[in-house]
Amino acid sequence: KVMLADIETDALAAAVESLRKSGSDVRGVACDVTDPVSVEDAAKASFEAFGNVHVICNNAGVAGGSGIDNISLDNWRWVIDVNLMGVLHGICAFLPHIRAHGEGGHIVNTASMAGLQTGLGLSPYAASKFAVVAMSEGLARELKPLGIGVTVLCPGFVRTRIGESGRNRGERYGPAQTPDPASPAGTLAANIRILLQSGLDPSDVARQALTAIRENELYVFTHPDMRDEVDERFAAIQAALDKATAR
């Protein structure tokens, strides 16, 4: 029994139809995760359709660059509102319900490998994903005694349309800004588009997330070959702590 929520209604309808063909009981509800009222309405629709809800996947995400050459506050607000506040809105809407029915459950929050290393530089995307990792770790600690699990999904490059996420950017965030192709931000964006095209199939990531729910795993890493980037950051932190100890 699955309730899908999406801001993009045509894509939502197509996904619902596709999953129904598998014999599952699937519904869909339009939802803008930047709006807490919209998320609350989606939660109510889920409860009315299925009764008790047990698994929540906060998966909405957008990509927005910045860098030091053109720090756009509109970009930052948009990315933070979707990637971070969208997760919080999902938790606020569903966690009280899961706690109240007392049957246990699981929350999956989609972060990114960008939430563990700073290869993107000054980036609202990385900042939002670091926050989702921290939020998930703290949530897991508090919910463990209640029999509610938490997974933070940290994928690398996956073949999704996140590179085109500006198509759903709300008017209040202003027009999407395209970086100069010759700038460092433009070069980075071009490289990321190539990497997305050759990334993992989303179904592979879904299978890993499902295993994590069943086995109550906190972290899911889809690209272990990116470990060196994380190790470099951790080594720098350890070195700084060693230096502090020496002082």
Side-chain angles (χ1 to χ4, degrees):
K1 298 177 180 179
V2 179
M3 178 68 80
L4 299 180
D6 200 328
I7 194 172
E8 202 165 0
T9 54
D10 288 345
L12 174 63
V16 169
E17 181 61 26
S18 175
L19 286 176
R20 279 179 177 166
K21 291 177 180 177
S22 70
S24 300
D25 186 356
V26 183
R27 318 284 177 88
V29 59
C31 180
D32 177 356
V33 300
T34 69
D35 179 0
V37 175
S38 181
V39 179
E40 286 283 355
D41 288 345
K44 291 176 183 176
S46 303
F47 307 148
E48 290 172 359
F50 299 124
N52 290 347
V53 173
H54 301 87
V55 177
I56 311 302
C57 297
N58 294 307
N59 187 61
V62 296
S66 181
I68 60 174
D69 295 326
N70 182 21
I71 300 174
S72 166
L73 295 183
D74 283 341
N75 270 1
W76 277 81
R77 290 189 178 103
W78 173 52
V79 174
I80 295 296
D81 279 354
V82 176
N83 293 2
L84 173 56
M85 297 308 295
V87 172
L88 181 59
H89 294 157
I91 293 169
C92 289
F94 284 95
L95 180 56
H97 164 82
I98 296 175
R99 294 185 66 182
H101 67 53
E103 298 172 1
H106 206 95
I107 297 172
V108 180
N109 298 325
T110 299
S112 169
M113 286 301 290
L116 295 164
Q117 47 89 7
T118 53
L120 295 180
L122 180 67
S123 164
Y125 184 80
S128 69
K129 297 303 186 179
F130 263 78
V132 172
V133 171
M135 177 192 300
S136 302
E137 291 173 344
L139 188 67
R141 187 175 297 111
E142 291 194 62
L143 293 183
K144 184 177 180 179
L146 304 180
I148 302 171
V150 177
T151 291
V152 58
L153 177 59
C154 297
F157 294 102
V158 183
R159 291 198 304 276
T160 70
R161 297 182 65 197
I162 193 169
E164 307 164 35
S165 48
R167 69 191 186 278
N168 292 318
R169 181 173 172 137
E171 291 183 2
R172 66 185 180 278
Y173 301 111
Q177 299 176 350
T178 303
D180 180 351
S183 69
T187 300
L188 178 61
N191 290 338
I192 288 175
R193 282 194 293 271
I194 294 171
L195 290 167
L196 286 172
Q197 292 171 3
S198 60
L200 283 182
D201 187 278
S203 62
D204 293 333
V205 182
R207 278 190 287 270
Q208 294 183 50
L210 186 56
T211 297
I213 293 170
R214 288 172 171 156
E215 299 183 4
N216 196 24
E217 297 174 345
L218 176 56
Y219 303 102
V220 174
F221 299 115
T222 64
H223 288 67
D225 55 319
M226 298 179 74
R227 178 172 183 157
D228 288 348
E229 300 172 29
V230 178
D231 285 344
E232 183 179 347
R233 173 172 175 263
F234 288 169
I237 293 171
Q238 292 284 6
L241 286 169
D242 290 342
K243 187 175 182 179
T245 301
R247 285 198 300 267

